[in-house]
């Protein structure tokens, strides 16, 4: 029986495991491979790690966690999780082996589902990207395309006009330029292409241009797209955690899910009252650290019969 099983060895899971190891909690981290940011060459906007590769950060995290005898890393897929009430939780691996713990932290992350455009997927995380805070600076002065229509895409095109004077909004169909966006795009010098995108042309993983169903091709070196996301793991649903309309696992400000003893951290989870779901490496690291602190206090209260520090705060009840 571990104190904690952490499912997911990415940034959120590793951050939590570090705090749990340092507070002498027996912790099992189950990690089934590269995370959502694996295609990217480098991590950005993470103080102290700017420019580090995702694989490099994982290696360094594993090396640092190995210093703590209470933390055990296992390369394995968690296939099923069960809530045994006062007896804790059981996690069954794909191999059939079962591990048990008093608390469970889900840090399993998301999977990106990309637009179905020929040639896009091989460029994902390299020259076809999604986040201006993660990739925008590296696109300074580049020939930038923003794929999509609607206010959110128009806002992004305007934001990127601060990075380059050559930004084109590719609406992939007729544009509906609501005001004040139309005037703002014109003022910023953002051009608009309404033709349907047929395919992306590349040299290796470097975007070179966009071909449309009709009209001339467009030379571009960077493209910002917005895909959809889904949960990478079914564990939260199996346990009966509350799931929000966008597929995120609902958590309170203490990283607790609607199931007692189950916490969630990283881009897979958000508070229901959050205006938007914010996905970034540094935010995931913070969420993992917060979850570990909450688990530490929770186990302390249980072991010594202390009053509940958060008595009366039960947002799910």
């Amino acid at each position: 029986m571990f104190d904690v099983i952490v499912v997911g060895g990415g940034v959120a899971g590793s951050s939590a495991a570090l705090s749990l190891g340092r507070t002498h909690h027996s912790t099992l981290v189950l990690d089934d491979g590269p995370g959502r940011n694996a295609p990217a060459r480098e991590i950005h906007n993470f103080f102290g790690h700017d420019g580090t590769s995702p694989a490099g950060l994982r290696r360094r995290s594993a090396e640092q966690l190995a210093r703590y005898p209470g933390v055990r890393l296992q390369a394995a897929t968690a296939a099923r999780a069960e809530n045994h009430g006062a007896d804790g939780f059981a996690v069954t691996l794909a191999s059939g082996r079962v591990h048990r713990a008093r608390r469970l932290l889900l840090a399993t992350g998301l999977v990106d589902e990309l637009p179905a455009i020929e040639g896009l997927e091989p460029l994902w995380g390299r020259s076809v990207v999604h986040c201006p805070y993660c990739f925008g600076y590296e696109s300074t002065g580049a020939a930038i395309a923003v794929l999509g229509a609607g206010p959110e895409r128009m806002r992004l095109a305007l934001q990127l006009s601060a990075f380059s004077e050559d930004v084109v909004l590719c609406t992939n169909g007729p544009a509906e330029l609501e005001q004040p966006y139309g005037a703002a795009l014109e003022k910023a010098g953002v051009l608009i292409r309404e033709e349907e995108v047929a395919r992306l042309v590349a040299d290796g993983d470097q975007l070179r241009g966009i071909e449309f169903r009709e009209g001339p091709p467009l030379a571009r070196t960077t493209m910002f797209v917005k895909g959809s996301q889904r949960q990478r793991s079914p564990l939260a649903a199996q346990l009966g955690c509350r799931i929000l309309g966008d597929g995120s696992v609902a958590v309170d400000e203490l990283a607790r899910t609607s199931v007692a003893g189950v916490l969630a951290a990283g881009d897979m989870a958000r508070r229901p009252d959050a205006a938007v779901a914010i996905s970034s490496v540094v935010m995931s690291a913070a969420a993992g650290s917060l979850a570990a602190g909450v688990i530490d206090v929770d186990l302390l209260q249980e072991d010594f019969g202390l009053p509940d520090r958060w008595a009366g705060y039960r947002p799910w009840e």
Side-chain angles (χ1 to χ4, degrees):
M1 174 72 77
F2 291 93
D3 287 336
V4 188
I5 292 177
V6 178
V7 187
V11 174
S14 296
S15 177
L18 179 61
S19 293
L20 292 167
R22 291 182 59 81
T23 48
H24 296 284
H25 288 295
S26 59
T27 303
L28 173 64
V29 180
L30 300 173
D31 185 21
D32 65 356
R36 183 182 175 192
N37 63 355
R41 291 188 181 91
E42 297 178 338
I43 291 169
H44 294 291
N45 215 30
F46 186 8
F47 178 75
H49 298 284
D50 192 58
T52 302
S53 70
L57 183 61
R58 275 181 173 259
R59 285 194 299 270
R60 186 174 183 184
S61 297
E63 291 168 358
Q64 293 181 346
L65 290 174
R67 296 168 48 196
Y68 298 94
V71 178
R72 174 181 165 189
L73 301 178
Q74 183 174 352
T77 299
R80 183 163 185 81
E82 298 172 284
N83 185 353
H84 292 171
D87 294 325
F89 300 89
V91 176
T92 303
L93 306 184
S95 65
R97 185 174 183 180
V98 178
H99 292 293
R100 292 177 170 82
R102 299 167 65 190
R103 298 294 185 272
L104 184 60
L105 172 59
L106 303 178
T108 47
L110 299 173
V111 173
D112 287 298
E113 297 185 323
L114 304 175
I117 295 175
E118 182 182 339
L120 188 151
E121 187 173 356
L123 308 180
W124 179 244
R126 298 301 180 97
S127 52
V128 173
V129 295
H130 73 292
C131 174
Y133 302 104
C134 301
F135 299 99
Y137 186 84
E138 284 63 41
S139 303
T140 299
I144 297 174
V146 176
L147 179 68
E152 186 270 339
R153 296 282 90 188
M154 295 179 194
R155 283 179 179 270
L156 177 58
L158 291 169
Q159 182 180 9
L160 291 170
S161 70
F163 295 78
S164 173
E165 296 180 352
D166 187 4
V167 179
V168 177
L169 178 65
C170 297
T171 58
N172 204 23
E176 297 180 4
L177 298 181
E178 303 175 10
Q179 295 303 332
Y181 294 102
L185 290 168
E186 183 177 358
K187 179 180 179 180
V190 175
L191 302 180
I192 300 171
R193 291 287 298 266
E194 299 183 66
E195 305 98 308
E196 183 180 353
V197 175
R199 65 186 60 84
L200 303 186
V201 179
D203 180 7
D205 60 14
Q206 177 57 59
L207 176 67
R208 295 302 182 194
I210 303 170
E211 293 184 355
F212 302 91
R213 300 292 179 192
E214 298 178 355
L218 176 67
R220 296 288 94 178
T221 56
T222 305
M223 188 175 193
F224 284 78
V225 307
K226 181 180 181 181
S228 59
Q229 292 79 39
R230 60 175 173 82
Q231 291 289 330
R232 183 175 181 179
S233 167
L235 299 188
Q238 290 174 3
L239 291 162
C241 298
R242 180 185 173 192
I243 307 296
L244 300 174
D246 64 355
S248 298
V249 176
V251 293
D252 63 14
E253 56 258 54
L254 300 175
R256 302 180 299 181
T257 72
S258 59
V259 176
V262 180
L263 293 85
D267 56 8
M268 64 171 289
R270 70 172 178 87
R271 289 169 48 178
D273 59 349
V276 293
I278 299 176
S279 176
S280 75
V281 175
V282 68
M283 296 289 281
S284 291
S289 182
L290 170 65
V294 171
I295 290 171
D296 177 53
V297 171
D298 194 28
L299 292 176
L300 179 72
Q301 293 169 167
E302 183 176 287
D303 289 341
F304 292 96
L306 302 178
D308 187 349
R309 182 175 181 179
W310 299 289
Y313 178 67
R314 293 289 184 271
W316 314 118
E317 298 176 359

